[in-house]
């Protein structure tokens, strides 16, 4: 089955700086890669996603890149703000998102004022 | 539109007792998922329904866990008997037909003593 590795487990950055979280996946059949943000006591919320036929996608301060050959994908957050503090999860799925998601272990992002 | 609803939000039981969780997906969403999220880890898929049929239950511990979605809308997940290692947050998610995004509920936090 699919295995998703996520690094780092904790990331502390100064407010205004950029943050990068990296993930690798094992199953070459995976073709849908969402990123979720989870705040304390809440369910995961989708922040951005990318399909395997696209190399990069941006949405304001958030961008995701995908390297299919290396089976790597990364989340980039620019101009970080205090409200960006949360746990971020990468995930992978075959079947274009129709299948269940395999999640990484999460990255606790801390924005230092 | 209303999000995914789950109840109860919290549950404390003793080992060997039974417990049930309820999920009401977003209106019109045919696909429903149950995930287990152990503290410090990413969610793990337990079971996926398409309408009232099971699509994937390969990671469901069937000796103690069961789930149903009788009318293709609400779903219940049951654990009988519970073990200490079942302490986790149980998340329900739903997805619209032909769409990729899975929307998560707030989860039910279970503590087994």
């Amino acid at each position: 089955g699919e295995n998703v590795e996520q690094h780092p487990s904790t990331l502390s950055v100064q407010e205004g700086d950029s943050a990068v979280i990296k993930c690798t996946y094992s199953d070459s059949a995976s073709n849908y890669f969402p990123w979720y943000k989870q705040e304390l006591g809440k369910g995961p919320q989708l922040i951005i996603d990318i399909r395997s036929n696209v190399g990069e996608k941006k949405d304001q301060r958030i961008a995701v890149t995908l390297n299919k050959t290396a089976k790597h994908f990364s989340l980039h957050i620019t101009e970080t703000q205090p409200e960006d503090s949360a746990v971020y999860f990468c995930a992978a799925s075959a079947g274009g998102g129709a299948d269940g998601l395999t999640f990484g272990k999460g990255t606790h992002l801390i924005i230092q004022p | 539109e209303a999000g995914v609803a789950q109840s109860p939000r919290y549950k404390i039981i003793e080992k060997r007792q039974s417990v049930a969780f309820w999920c009401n997906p977003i209106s019109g969403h045919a696909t429903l998922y149950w995930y287990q999220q152990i503290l410090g880890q990413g969610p793990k898929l337990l079971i996926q329904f398409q309408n009232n049929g099971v699509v994937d239950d390969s990671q469901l511990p069937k000796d103690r866990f069961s789930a149903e979605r009788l009318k293709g809308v609400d779903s219940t997940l049951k654990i009988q008997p519970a073990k200490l290692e079942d302490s986790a947050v149980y998340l329900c998610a739903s997805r619209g037909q032909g769409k990729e995004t899975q929307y998560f509920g707030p989860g039910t936090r279970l503590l087994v003593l």
Side-chain angles (χ1 to χ4, degrees):
Chain A
E2 174 66 276
N3 182 50
V4 176
E5 299 283 342
Q6 182 172 348
H7 300 279
S9 57
T10 303
L11 178 60
S12 181
V13 301
Q14 289 293 124
E15 182 179 349
D17 288 351
S18 296
V20 180
I21 303 170
K22 299 182 178 181
C23 289
T24 61
Y25 63 99
S26 61
D27 188 352
S28 56
S30 289
N31 57 10
Y32 174 66
F33 307 93
W35 285 87
Y36 282 85
K37 176 182 181 181
Q38 188 172 30
E39 297 175 321
L40 199 61
K42 296 183 178 180
Q45 181 180 18
L46 180 77
I47 55 170
I48 195 167
D49 57 7
I50 191 168
R51 295 194 59 120
S52 59
N53 58 350
V54 175
E56 183 175 359
K57 184 177 179 181
K58 288 184 180 180
D59 182 5
Q60 299 182 359
R61 299 187 294 110
I62 295 173
V64 58
T65 59
L66 172 65
N67 183 328
K68 280 174 50 180
T69 304
K71 297 196 183 79
H72 288 172
F73 57 115
S74 300
L75 177 71
H76 305 253
I77 305 174
T78 59
E79 301 173 12
T80 52
Q81 301 170 2
E83 53 265 36
D84 294 331
S85 294
V87 180
Y88 290 80
F89 292 96
C90 62
S93 170
D99 294 353
L101 298 171
T102 300
F103 283 84
K105 289 189 174 182
T107 296
H108 185 193
L109 177 62
I110 302 166
I111 308 301
Q112 302 277 9
Chain B
E1 98 188 321
V4 176
Q6 290 189 247
S7 67
R9 292 296 313 277
Y10 306 92
K11 191 74 176 179
I12 301 174
I13 62 172
E14 296 191 349
K15 60 184 179 183
R16 291 188 290 273
Q17 286 187 325
S18 302
V19 65
F21 313 125
W22 174 82
C23 172
N24 181 237
I26 292 173
S27 178
H29 281 195
T31 309
L32 184 148
Y33 309 83
W34 283 102
Y35 290 84
Q36 179 192 58
Q37 185 176 23
I38 292 172
L39 188 65
Q41 297 184 21
K44 185 185 89 170
L45 180 70
L46 293 176
I47 190 167
Q48 176 182 349
F49 290 95
Q50 178 72 22
N51 295 310
N52 60 351
V54 175
V55 174
D56 181 3
D57 64 356
S58 59
Q59 299 187 88
L60 187 73
K62 299 180 187 62
D63 57 334
R64 298 183 301 105
F65 286 65
S66 64
E68 60 183 15
R69 194 184 183 199
L70 292 176
K71 296 183 179 178
V73 181
D74 294 5
S75 177
T76 56
L77 177 70
K78 297 179 182 178
I79 307 175
Q80 180 181 14
K83 293 186 175 181
L84 297 178
E85 58 262 36
D86 297 333
S87 294
V89 176
Y90 290 85
L91 294 162
C92 180
S94 69
R95 181 177 61 84
Q97 188 73 25
K99 305 295 185 181
E100 296 166 330
T101 303
Q102 293 185 26
Y103 295 90
F104 284 82
T108 295
R109 189 175 301 273
L110 173 67
L111 179 60
V112 182
L113 302 176

